[in-house]
Amino acid sequence: MIQKPRGTRDFLPDEMEARRAVEWRLREVARRWGYREVCTPEFEDLELFTMRSGEGIIGEMYVFEDKGGRKMALRPEITAAVIRMYINEARVAPKPLRWCYFADCFRYERPQKGRYRQFWQFGVELIGADSAMADAEVIMLAADMLDSTGVEYELKVGHLALMKNLIGSLEPSLQRKIRAHLDKKEFDGLKATLSETGNTALADTLISLVECRSLKEAFTIAGDVPGRERIEQTMNALDAYGVRYSLNFGIARGLDYYTGIVFEGFAANLGAENQILGGGTYRLAHLFGGDDVASCGFAIGFDRVMVSRGEPVPERKIVVGILCTSEGRASALAVSRAFRSAGICAVMDLMERGLGAQLANVAKMADFAIIIGGREAESGTVTLKNLHTGEQKVLDPQAAIAEVGAHGTRG
Ligand code: HAM
């Protein structure tokens, strides 16, 4: 038996219905904020993702050579592709651009619960607005979107400038090591790394910055941070909007393109893979041949949101089984069409069985049976049977549709 590729999943109808329901909640929030959907290719030139994604993601990419010898990659994320599209298609469009997407990404990671090789992101990118209000808008939208999913979460907001003020003069490779230690709260590792390089005192300062939860205190620790006023304005806007968040200046992010505000969301009920959202401000457009446009965005890890929500409980819509004898078939086709036109799911028997066998079969999956034999066909009526109560009556088709329609969802 052939199995699906490792790290991928099949979704049965119940799960797909639950996924679509959450997807539509996110779409609805995006719509209310004026973010319109875009779509980019599933694969791109490899270079698009190697320029500024960072070592972690580059090492996890699905890379292949096409028949023309071009090096391609399945997208590991969508931000770089959206900015490439902005440069190709929309660089002269009035700013800011408010875009969103819902699409799959591919990362060759070690699979576990909440970590897949094919996974879906619901993301937004705000392109061409460079202000505290722009940064705040994206974070407020992130909070509204996570609220709409019903998942319990914690939102952490930080800014790279504070950390940069403390470690910006160190070697880039040492900076990366420090950020990785801080991101994982490996304070002993941090101390060891810094004492090896003769920066022992810095470790305590960095640890106090990462643990500090007040903006004022953070600025005291980090020193004279450029753009302090903008950071304060952003946080004030978040407070005014009522966003629930905590400050965290240890957020490092796995991707290398961030420049300022960074934020992450964590689901309360998930284990190791509990990060359900990540984002921040970045500048990528100039790397791909465009203008140096400021952007801010985030992506929600849709699959992790679904894991956090637990087993799907899909809303069951009424199903009607249309049963007939050969004399009733023409009438049954017309009646099934009328049910569907009224927005009700109607399924016909396809096995050419007797009415008794049809009824036994339909009772397993439908709520009502419509029975059309020779007598009903002749009189233009149908027999409507409620499969939950066993109640049965002869009606004209429109009355049967009205009666079924009045039930809404399954009991
Ligand atoms: P990211 O943090 O790499 O950011 O991914 C965003 C979210 O995707 C993560 O928080 C996580 O929930 C989910 N995710 C990542 N890898 C996996 C995986 N293997 N399986 C399941 N879920 C996963 C980005 O991708 C940026 N492009 C976000 C962004 C948009 N920044 C600015 N604009």
Side-chain angles (χ1 to χ4, degrees):
M1 203 174 16
I2 297 179
Q3 299 290 342
K4 60 185 178 296
R6 210 165 122 69
T8 66
R9 286 147 304 148
D10 297 316
F11 302 106
L12 287 164
D14 278 356
E15 205 169 347
M16 271 320 289
E17 275 169 23
R19 287 172 71 88
R20 290 286 185 226
V22 176
E23 176 194 332
W24 278 99
R25 289 188 198 182
L26 294 170
R27 285 185 188 285
E28 178 55 17
V29 178
R31 185 192 68 76
R32 290 184 194 176
W33 278 81
Y35 284 69
R36 299 176 66 208
E37 187 175 8
V38 293
C39 180
T40 63
E42 285 201 328
F43 57 94
E44 298 266 1
D45 278 343
L46 173 62
E47 202 190 352
L48 180 72
F49 300 112
T50 50
M51 285 176 100
R52 199 43 75 80
S53 291
E55 277 165 33
I57 290 217
I58 290 173
E60 292 164 354
M61 251 188 305
Y62 278 86
V63 178
F64 63 98
E65 205 173 277
D66 73 7
K67 289 195 164 75
R70 299 174 200 89
K71 283 234 170 209
M72 314 299 287
L74 295 183
R75 58 185 173 205
E77 59 110 29
I78 304 172
T79 305
V82 167
I83 296 303
R84 188 225 11 94
M85 176 171 75
Y86 154 71
I87 296 161
N88 295 161
E89 315 286 345
R91 71 207 291 185
V92 296
K95 310 280 184 316
L97 290 168
R98 291 183 167 93
W99 284 349
C100 68
Y101 47 81
F102 178 63
D104 54 351
C105 304
F106 304 85
R107 293 184 193 173
Y108 194 83
E109 297 198 70
R110 191 183 305 198
Q112 64 178 72
K113 193 170 180 186
R115 195 205 287 157
Y116 312 101
R117 291 183 175 170
Q118 181 196 22
F119 60 96
W120 275 258
Q121 287 189 342
F122 198 108
V124 313
E125 310 297 345
L126 172 63
I127 303 167
D130 192 5
S131 67
M133 272 308 292
D135 299 350
E137 169 164 311
V138 175
I139 301 170
M140 294 185 284
L141 173 55
D144 272 7
M145 280 196 176
L146 287 182
D147 285 344
S148 80
T149 66
V151 163
E152 225 180 282
Y153 68 93
E154 195 190 339
L155 187 61
K156 300 182 181 175
V157 182
H159 197 288
L160 298 177
L162 284 84
M163 178 89 69
K164 204 167 159 202
N165 229 29
L166 295 174
I167 65 171
S169 59
L170 303 177
E171 278 252 301
S173 63
L174 179 58
Q175 288 188 40
R176 260 199 299 278
K177 258 194 204 164
I178 294 173
R179 279 204 299 265
H181 282 312
L182 290 172
D183 198 41
K184 295 191 193 108
K185 287 208 169 357
E186 293 164 354
F187 296 153
D188 288 341
L190 175 78
K191 283 179 182 161
T193 302
L194 284 174
S195 72
E196 272 166 33
T197 55
N199 293 293
T200 316
L202 184 57
D204 290 335
T205 314
L206 287 170
I207 292 168
S208 56
L209 177 67
V210 168
E211 303 223 298
C212 147
R213 298 286 169 266
S214 124
L215 200 50
K216 209 167 148 207
E217 203 185 314
F219 284 126
T220 310
I221 298 167
D224 201 6
V225 174
R228 173 177 178 157
E229 206 176 307
R230 174 163 165 175
I231 300 171
E232 284 168 345
Q233 279 173 8
T234 305
M235 303 305 175
N236 288 343
L238 298 185
D239 295 336
Y241 194 71
V243 176
R244 286 178 296 113
Y245 69 99
S246 57
L247 288 172
N248 189 315
F249 294 100
I251 298 175
R253 305 287 300 123
L255 291 146
D256 271 359
Y257 49 61
Y258 296 101
T259 51
I261 284 276
V262 281
F263 50 97
E264 291 178 340
F266 297 88
N269 62 349
L270 295 183
E273 300 302 324
N274 63 344
Q275 195 189 304
I276 53 169
L277 176 145
T281 52
Y282 61 92
R283 283 175 188 269
L284 276 175
H286 64 289
L287 293 176
F288 308 152
D291 45 337
D292 183 26
V293 70
S295 318
C296 188
F298 65 82
I300 291 176
F302 185 79
D303 307 272
R304 292 186 185 169
V305 165
M306 295 310 294
V307 175
S308 171
R309 283 173 54 87
E311 280 300 301
V313 193
E315 192 193 356
R316 303 254 174 220
K317 293 276 179 353
I318 290 288
V319 176
V320 178
I322 311 274
L323 322 182
C324 62
T325 59
S326 55
E327 298 94 332
R329 182 155 301 131
S331 170
L333 282 165
V335 168
S336 71
R337 179 176 211 161
F339 267 98
R340 292 182 194 121
S341 300
I344 297 165
C345 169
V347 292
M348 286 188 71
D349 182 76
L350 304 175
M351 317 289 249
E352 313 215 333
R353 306 178 258 221
L355 276 180
Q358 288 185 42
L359 196 58
N361 177 258
V362 93
K364 293 179 201 148
M365 35 76 73
D367 306 280
F368 291 91
I370 288 286
I371 303 157
I372 306 178
R375 210 159 5 111
E376 286 92 347
E378 217 166 276
S379 60
T381 58
V382 300
T383 296
L384 172 68
K385 186 178 174 81
N386 183 323
L387 294 169
H388 298 296
T389 63
E391 192 194 344
Q392 185 168 316
K393 46 187 149 181
V394 177
L395 295 167
D396 75 69
Q398 283 310 321
I401 290 169
E403 177 140 353
V404 171
H407 278 79
T409 49
R410 281 182 179 199

